[in-house]
DNA sequence: CACTTGACCTGTCCGC
DNA sequence: TGCGGACAGGTCAAGT
């Protein structure tokens, strides 16, 4: 699912509705995706002190020093339903476009104000963990430990990005920027979009990418992610925000899922090719491999 | 270590 | 309408 812009959109939405709320209960319908080393009884009255994002992981901090981590993988959703949305005859007012709970609902969190947060995941790749907040930061939590820099971190420079790329010198540039240890948060949609913007062929080997080209890719990544966040992410299939609403970025995408359509720069039809096991969409004319 | 491939799941879509 | 196969936003583990 969700790449950085989608998780960021959910993060901003949940921050608005969850901050300061007290948890009262949670109901686990699918235990396999839920991991915690935490006394469930203590969840009562824990207040939410922060909603954060790191890479594609959404983090909710509680005031007892624990954090709830969510990875949505391909089809995960986090939908918040306010109590007032449920008053009228069992029907949400206004109705949520994604009714909850539904058959892919795995966990339901309840809050003191009557609101509920639903974790849905059709393909069951996603997970939830409850861990002590200090363990969220490296080196204690081994998922985030290895994750590379945030694209919008001001301390993360194009030069550092080029340096990080060198660990993957025999790999296609598309595969390299999908590597979360090189840069955090890029997925299949925005790797295609960024490489189109930078005019680099997705199958170009990293060792053939010059430093100037890498700088162009770095800037294009930031630009693609920024525009995608402005459009509240991409809804190719199951992605929705915290209100169950879709994102609109794909209306403005240049290559992703546009096989056969004319390139917006040079009119050559966009082609699709498997690269590193993923579908790459690109313009064979203006994205250079040389 | 770096790189590739298949596995994990369940649904939708497309061609016959 | 039914059936089979390809495909789907992401990691992971196991193989070379």
């Amino acid at each position: 699912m969700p790449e950085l812009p989608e998780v960021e959109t959910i993060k901003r939405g949940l921050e608005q509705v969850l901050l300061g709320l007290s948890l009262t209960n949670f109901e686990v319908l699918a235990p396999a995706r839920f991991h915690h080393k935490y006394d469930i009884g203590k969840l009562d009255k824990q207040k939410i002190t922060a909603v954060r994002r790191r890479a594609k992981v959404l983090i909710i901090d509680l005031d007892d020093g624990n954090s709830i981590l969510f990875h949505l993988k391909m089809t995960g959703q986090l939908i918040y339903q306010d109590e007032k949305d449920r008053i009228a005859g069992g029907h949400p007012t206004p109705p949520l476009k994604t009714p909850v709970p539904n058959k892919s609902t795995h966990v339901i969190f309840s809050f003191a104000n009557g609101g509920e947060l639903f974790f849905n995941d059709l393909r069951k790749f996603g997970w939830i963990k409850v861990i002590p907040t200090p363990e969220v930061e490296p080196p204690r939590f081994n998922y985030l430990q290895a994750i590379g820099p945030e694209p919008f971190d001001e301390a993360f420079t194009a030069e550092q990005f080029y340096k990080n790329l060198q660990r993957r010198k025999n790999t296609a540039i598309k595969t390299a920027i999908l590597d979360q240890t090189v840069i955090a948060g890029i997925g299949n949609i925005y790797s295609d979009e960024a490489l189109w913007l930078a005019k680099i062929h997705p199958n170009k080997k990293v060792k053939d990418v010059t430093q100037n080209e890498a700088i162009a890719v770095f800037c294009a990544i930031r630009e693609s992610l920024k525009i995608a966040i402005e459009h509240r992410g991409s809804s190719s299939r199951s992605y929705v925000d915290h209100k169950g609403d879709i994102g609109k970025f794909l209306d403005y995408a240049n290559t992703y899922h546009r096989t056969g359509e004319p390139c917006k720069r040079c009119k050559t039809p966009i082609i699709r090719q498997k690269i590193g096991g993923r579908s790459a969409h690109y313009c064979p004319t203006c994205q250079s491999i040389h």
Side-chain angles (χ1 to χ4, degrees):
Chain A
M1 138 272 145
E3 307 180 32
L4 186 151
E6 290 75 32
V7 183
E8 180 65 21
T9 300
I10 294 172
K11 179 250 164 187
R12 292 180 185 182
L14 286 181
E15 194 169 37
Q16 301 246 323
V17 295
L18 292 186
L19 220 49
L21 290 188
S22 293
L23 262 173
T24 53
N25 192 27
F26 64 79
E27 190 179 345
V28 182
L29 308 173
R33 311 311 303 171
F34 187 88
H35 316 278
H36 60 91
K37 31 182 174 179
Y38 191 78
D39 179 356
I40 289 176
K42 286 186 184 168
L43 265 187
D44 251 28
K45 297 191 175 66
Q46 293 313 321
K47 198 177 278 185
I48 291 177
T49 57
V51 181
R52 302 184 278 154
R53 178 192 59 74
R54 171 75 173 109
K56 300 171 188 172
V57 178
L58 188 109
I59 303 163
I60 294 178
D61 292 330
L62 305 175
D63 69 351
D64 71 340
N66 286 283
S67 297
I68 311 173
L69 280 61
F70 301 83
H71 200 307
L72 303 177
K73 294 289 181 79
M74 297 286 256
T75 56
Q77 301 175 329
L78 275 171
I79 298 175
Y80 177 78
Q81 182 170 246
D82 209 75
E83 184 175 36
K84 65 177 160 50
D85 292 340
R86 280 185 276 110
I87 292 173
H91 289 289
T93 321
L96 290 183
K97 287 172 185 138
T98 306
V100 283
N102 57 47
K103 64 179 179 182
S104 69
T105 299
H106 295 185
V107 183
I108 306 170
F109 296 88
S110 304
F111 301 96
N113 69 343
E116 291 179 317
L117 180 65
F118 297 82
F119 173 68
N120 304 332
D121 186 13
L122 188 150
R123 290 178 72 180
K124 303 179 182 171
F125 293 165
W127 47 251
I128 304 178
K129 296 179 199 297
V130 182
I131 63 174
T133 302
E135 295 187 14
V136 173
E137 305 302 329
R140 300 292 298 282
F141 178 38
N142 63 12
Y143 177 77
L144 291 182
Q145 179 181 4
I147 293 294
E150 284 293 321
F152 293 112
D153 183 344
E154 285 176 23
F156 183 31
T157 62
E159 288 70 27
Q160 183 62 48
F161 172 68
Y162 180 68
K163 204 169 148 191
N164 289 0
L165 277 178
Q166 300 315 304
R167 276 186 293 109
R168 304 299 309 271
K169 55 181 168 21
N170 290 312
T171 308
I173 181 70
K174 175 180 171 75
T175 306
I177 64 177
L178 285 170
D179 182 341
Q180 300 297 297
T181 70
V182 169
I183 181 170
I186 314 305
N188 206 34
I189 296 176
Y190 304 109
S191 60
D192 282 353
E193 292 299 314
L195 291 171
W196 183 88
L197 266 191
K199 299 187 185 178
I200 305 292
H201 194 293
N203 216 9
K204 188 166 190 167
K205 296 285 175 283
V206 169
K207 65 185 172 197
D208 299 325
V209 174
T210 66
Q211 182 155 4
N212 279 342
E213 288 173 335
I215 291 169
V217 172
F218 182 73
C219 295
I221 286 171
R222 283 187 165 171
E223 181 66 9
S224 301
L225 296 177
K226 177 173 162 280
I227 294 170
I229 291 169
E230 287 168 6
H231 292 294
R232 307 185 60 78
S234 297
S235 292
S236 176
R237 284 176 188 195
S238 56
Y239 167 71
V240 291
D241 67 14
H242 77 292
K243 291 179 173 171
D245 292 337
I246 64 172
K248 304 289 192 190
F249 174 77
L250 288 185
D251 292 348
Y252 306 89
N254 292 300
T255 65
Y256 187 78
H257 273 196
R258 294 197 180 278
T259 312
E261 294 182 33
C263 171
K264 293 181 182 178
R265 278 190 299 246
C266 75
K267 311 296 182 213
T268 306
I270 298 296
I271 60 176
R272 188 178 73 179
Q273 180 191 345
K274 276 263 192 271
I275 296 175
R278 314 298 300 276
S279 282
H281 310 76
Y282 64 97
C283 172
T285 301
C286 63
Q287 288 180 250
S288 164
I289 199 160
H290 301 297

